[in-house]
Amino acid sequence: MAIIKIDKNNFENEALKSDKTMLLDFYADWCGPCRMVGPIVEEIAEEHPEYKVGKVNVDEQPELASAFSVMSIPALFVIKDGKIVNQALGAMTKEKILAMMRQE
């Protein structure tokens, strides 16, 4: 499944009202650790159709970053049934991200 670019206009429908567990990646183009996590997030989107994957550019969507209290990036959030069920900061391995998504 392709990664969905999340913005304030589609956030509610794509993330909060999703019938799938969603991984939301808050990032910036200038962020080194974000560039390390980006390909991993893309792999998860391609290899795990049971999940929905979205990316939020914090420079383009400061309102969403503020709503999630994102102070450091990359910031990963797992949303299920409209609620944040897990979150993590910093670069992570694919295995750790997938483990974070499986936790309830």
Side-chain angles (χ1 to χ4, degrees):
M1 181 176 271
I3 291 180
I4 302 162
K5 185 174 181 178
I6 301 294
D7 60 32
K8 62 184 176 185
N9 298 318
N10 69 359
F11 172 75
E12 186 173 342
N13 281 335
E14 293 290 353
L16 297 182
K17 294 182 178 176
S18 176
D19 58 344
K20 294 182 175 183
T21 299
M22 179 170 217
L23 174 65
L24 206 51
D25 175 19
F26 285 81
Y27 76 101
D29 293 329
W30 49 263
C31 166
C34 298
R35 289 195 298 265
M36 291 168 45
V37 170
I40 296 169
V41 170
E42 289 174 22
E43 281 180 28
I44 291 171
E46 290 174 22
E47 296 171 3
H48 293 275
E50 70 272 25
Y51 300 131
K52 201 171 194 182
V53 180
K55 291 182 73 86
V56 179
N57 185 317
V58 296
D59 292 329
E60 296 173 1
Q61 300 298 321
E63 299 93 349
L64 278 179
S66 178
F68 278 77
S69 300
V70 173
M71 298 293 182
S72 179
I73 52 175
L76 300 173
F77 291 84
V78 179
I79 299 173
K80 185 172 183 166
D81 299 325
K83 297 178 181 68
I84 297 169
V85 295
N86 216 333
Q87 64 189 68
L89 292 175
M92 297 172 61
T93 65
K94 183 178 181 179
E95 292 74 25
K96 286 188 178 182
I97 294 171
L98 287 170
M100 180 178 92
M101 294 186 71
R102 291 185 191 111
Q103 292 176 348
E104 306 265 331

